[in-house]
Amino acid sequence: MNGAFLLIPFMLIRFGLLSILNKEATRRAAHFPPMIGKEKAAYWLYQLSTVAIFVYLFFLQIEIEPSWLFYTGLFIYTLGTVACTISIINFAKPSESGINLNGLYRISRNPMYMAYLIFFLGCVVLTKSPMLLGFVLVFQVSTHWIILAEERWCISNFGEKYRQYMKKVRRYI
């Protein structure tokens, strides 16, 4: 099976489900805050690594076989898909203050990014591709810098409420 098929649930959840739940949330999810310093380079690495992951999956195959590696990859992929779905649902309905405080956002300030990482790691295991792993690692490192910019933007826009949220909830998990 072609690895690109792995992207179908991701695209349906990330774009389809989110736009059904809340069109404004779709715009919010596509918004990147102003970047400064290293964040600008990270932004472009993030964009390029995302494209690389998506395109490279078209060139990879998944061997559907009864092996521990296949079932491990399927478990990680499914976990990432479920986490992505839940985080998208939570993202679509922020509190009245505009800060997401419900669902997975009580555990992590960035559950969508964490879900993406788990999802992409599942793709790596299912395709057995070291190169895809490299793209995912670049994606994740650059994501950290994007998150720092987003946190700065949130502090600027939500002030003390967001600072209190940061004290209660970890950046990742």
Side-chain angles (χ1 to χ4, degrees), residues 40-103:
K40 290 178 184 180
Y43 170 81
W44 288 108
L45 283 173
Y46 174 87
Q47 296 297 346
L48 290 171
S49 62
T50 301
V51 169
I53 291 167
F54 279 52
V55 170
Y56 195 57
L57 277 167
F58 280 89
F59 296 96
L60 297 175
Q61 294 295 315
I62 302 162
E63 295 175 29
I64 301 173
E65 58 188 4
S67 70
W68 69 270
L69 190 59
F70 174 76
Y71 290 119
T72 300
L74 191 59
F75 174 77
I76 296 167
Y77 174 80
T78 303
L79 180 64
T81 303
V82 169
C84 191
T85 303
I86 294 168
S87 66
I88 288 292
I89 291 168
N90 296 156
F91 182 82
K93 299 174 184 173
S95 69
E96 287 187 24
S97 71
I99 301 173
N100 283 314
L101 302 171
N102 54 2

Side-chain angles (χ1 to χ4, degrees), residues 99-170:
I99 301 173
N100 283 314
L101 302 171
N102 54 2
L104 294 177
Y105 286 88
R106 291 180 181 169
I107 301 166
S108 169
R109 295 194 307 262
N110 299 284
M112 265 198 290
Y113 287 126
M114 295 307 300
Y116 297 167
L117 173 62
I118 296 165
F119 178 87
F120 290 144
L121 287 175
C123 293
V124 167
V125 176
L126 285 170
T127 60
K128 303 176 193 170
S129 173
M131 186 173 224
L132 184 61
L133 176 60
F135 292 144
V136 171
L137 291 175
V138 170
F139 170 84
Q140 193 57 36
V141 169
S142 61
T143 296
H144 174 74
W145 292 95
I146 302 294
I147 288 169
L148 295 177
E150 288 178 354
E151 288 180 344
R152 188 178 56 255
W153 183 87
C154 286
I155 290 169
S156 171
N157 284 287
F158 302 113
E160 189 57 31
K161 285 183 183 180
Y162 194 78
R163 287 185 198 280
Q164 291 303 316
Y165 175 61
M166 290 174 77
K167 289 179 183 176
K168 293 178 190 170
V169 178
R170 302 179 97 178

Side-chain angles (χ1 to χ4, degrees), residues 14-47:
R14 170 63 178 81
F15 298 102
L17 179 61
L18 188 57
S19 67
I20 289 168
L21 293 173
N22 184 336
K23 290 201 185 307
E24 174 57 32
T26 305
R27 284 189 287 280
R28 280 189 295 116
H31 175 266
F32 287 91
M35 306 285 164
I36 58 172
K38 294 178 184 177
E39 296 165 355
K40 290 178 184 180
Y43 170 81
W44 288 108
L45 283 173
Y46 174 87
Q47 296 297 346

